[in-house]
Amino acid sequence: MSRSPFAVALALATQIAQAAQGMPAVAAAGSLLTTLFVGRAHAAPVSAPDVVESWLLPRYDALLGAAKAQQVAWDGFCAAPSAAGVAELKARFVAASEAWSAVEFVTFGPIILSLRPDRFNLFPERRNAVGRSVAELIADPTDERLQPQRFFRLSAAAQGLPALERILYDEGAEAALVAGPEAARRCALGRAVALNLATIAGELRSGWGSRSEGLLAQLVAGKADPVYFPDPKALLSQIVTDLAGAYQRVVDQRLLVVLGKSADEAKPLLSDRRRSGLSKETIVAIVTSASALGEALSAGLDAKDRASFHATLQAAQATAQGLPEDIGAAATTPEGRKALQAAVTVFKAAQAGVARPLAAGLGVPLGFNALDGD
């Protein structure tokens, strides 16, 4: 991510202050630097607790609802397998996938524990890890590893949405689920994954709690937490950083890696959710959610900056909606590549166009996101 010297100084100052816990002299220096830089911007009329409560928690509620519905669907299907039941499983998968995409760029709070992002959705996948893990578990005649107390300790490749996508959408998967020698085993694995996803979604939501209990209550009270927010005042900076990171995820993980350097070097098999046909919908869900977060944060900008900021968000949303339905296939044709490359330009502009005005307008430092250095 490109940063101005001012933004880098802000990020550095914050990191010095946070890294110097228990070292009064160094911590004081870091705090002073942050105060000096941030003092140049006006105070933010939005707060981290408000953003968590109004934007993040409804999306975690939606994720939990979708994951629970998916679990119920698997339980019902395995009791009475049918082609209509597979269609219901696929519909529940689509809902859970889109609900996850709406929050996948969030890197603060309970999501940071126990490898939850990878366990929920291992992406990008390397060396066919998901395919190998699913095949190996289907071939295992015992149920020991599918038990909840054991399953969450398995490879992340077996635990999340990509594993369910394989079970539902691989060639011949529907028939193999309804009948045949592997049907019962595939059902058992699908149920294990669905339960695991519902469990993780529940942990994410319950961990945040409400204004009267849990992390949100702690955040509202301005109380530091050594794991989640050593400095509660710095969380708004992390939220802004994650917002910019949402667009970077789309560019780096969903578009550039598939495009390659030329049509001959395109990698359509690396397209996210290609089996379920959701490669475009995943991007739309990320960008739509990011836009809603940006709108919530833009209350801290003056009227002129807010209008420009809104236009940036709208351009990104329109671009996402206008993407080819099949990202992988588009990367192999001249016309498709032109559309994807144009989208990369828009999303890169959105990344900078949300980060810089918010960092300045809200008076917060722009930190380093989880994708930096990849």
Side-chain angles (χ1 to χ4, degrees):
M1 181 186 298
S2 175
R3 295 184 180 82
S4 68
F6 177 57
V8 172
L10 283 169
L12 179 59
T14 299
Q15 290 187 350
I16 291 172
Q18 291 181 354
Q21 298 283 326
M23 299 173 63
V26 180
S31 178
L32 176 59
L33 281 171
T34 303
T35 301
L36 288 174
F37 283 117
V38 173
R40 295 175 57 182
H42 56 75
V46 294
S47 70
D50 288 342
V51 173
V52 168
E53 185 175 35
S54 66
W55 176 82
L56 179 59
L57 296 192
R59 283 164 176 77
Y60 276 152
D61 286 336
L63 179 65
L64 178 56
K68 283 185 173 180
Q70 181 173 245
Q71 180 191 351
V72 170
W74 273 96
D75 289 343
F77 173 82
C78 292
S82 67
V86 175
E88 173 67 10
L89 292 179
K90 289 182 176 181
R92 295 302 180 185
F93 174 84
V94 171
S97 176
E98 292 186 357
W100 168 254
S101 296
V103 295
E104 76 155 59
F105 55 90
V106 174
T107 65
F108 57 88
I111 190 65
I112 69 174
L113 297 183
S114 306
L115 297 175
R116 284 170 178 158
D118 286 346
R119 290 170 54 220
F120 205 101
N121 186 61
L122 184 65
F123 183 81
E125 166 192 8
R126 291 178 174 82
R127 299 179 181 178
N128 193 33
V130 174
R132 288 186 288 105
S133 293
V134 168
E136 198 251 334
L137 284 171
I138 289 174
D140 185 351
T142 70
D143 286 335
E144 180 183 354
R145 287 188 293 171
L146 300 187
Q147 300 306 309
Q149 64 271 22
R150 177 77 185 278
F151 190 76
F152 81 98
R153 299 182 184 277
L154 301 184
S155 166
Q159 292 191 38
L161 289 169
L164 273 188
E165 186 181 31
R166 292 272 188 165
I167 296 169
L168 288 169
Y169 293 95
D170 267 348
E171 185 177 354
E174 181 171 341
L177 269 172
V178 174
E182 294 182 349
R185 185 63 182 179
R186 286 173 174 269
C187 235
L189 178 55
R191 290 181 70 186
V193 176
L195 173 59
N196 186 61
L197 293 175
T199 299
I200 295 173
E203 291 168 346
L204 293 175
R205 183 58 188 88
S206 63
W208 273 111
S210 66
R211 281 186 169 263
S212 59
E213 61 179 2
L215 280 179
L216 179 56
Q218 193 171 328
L219 188 62
V220 169
K223 294 181 179 179
D225 185 285
V227 175
Y228 298 110
F229 29 79
D231 179 5
K233 296 179 181 178
L235 187 56
L236 194 59
S237 169
Q238 182 61 55
I239 293 172
V240 173
T241 301
D242 280 355
L243 171 58
Y247 299 103
Q248 186 177 355
R249 285 172 185 266
V250 170
V251 169
D252 291 353
Q253 297 182 344
R254 269 76 180 190
L255 296 178
L256 290 182
V257 71
V258 179
L259 272 166
K261 295 181 179 179
S262 66
D264 291 338
E265 296 182 33
K267 297 178 174 61
L269 297 184
L270 297 183
S271 180
D272 189 22
R273 297 283 191 269
R274 67 178 179 84
R275 291 173 176 81
S276 53
L278 299 175
S279 57
K280 172 185 174 178
E281 282 72 11
T282 298
I283 294 174
V284 170
I286 294 172
V287 173
T288 299
S289 185
S291 180
L293 176 56
E295 293 290 1
L297 293 170
S298 68
L301 305 179
D302 61 34
K304 180 180 179 181
D305 287 341
R306 191 159 55 247
S308 176
F309 186 82
H310 178 74
T312 298
L313 297 178
Q314 290 293 97
Q317 277 198 276
T319 297
Q321 293 288 353
L323 284 168
E325 291 296 329
D326 188 333
I327 301 298
T332 65
T333 68
E335 183 179 354
R337 291 183 64 82
K338 184 177 180 180
L340 297 183
Q341 288 163 346
V344 166
T345 300
V346 172
F347 293 139
K348 282 186 174 181
Q351 180 183 344
V354 301
R356 290 169 184 161
L358 286 178
L362 299 180
V364 298
L366 182 61
F368 298 93
N369 70 53
L371 300 180
D372 286 325
D374 284 2

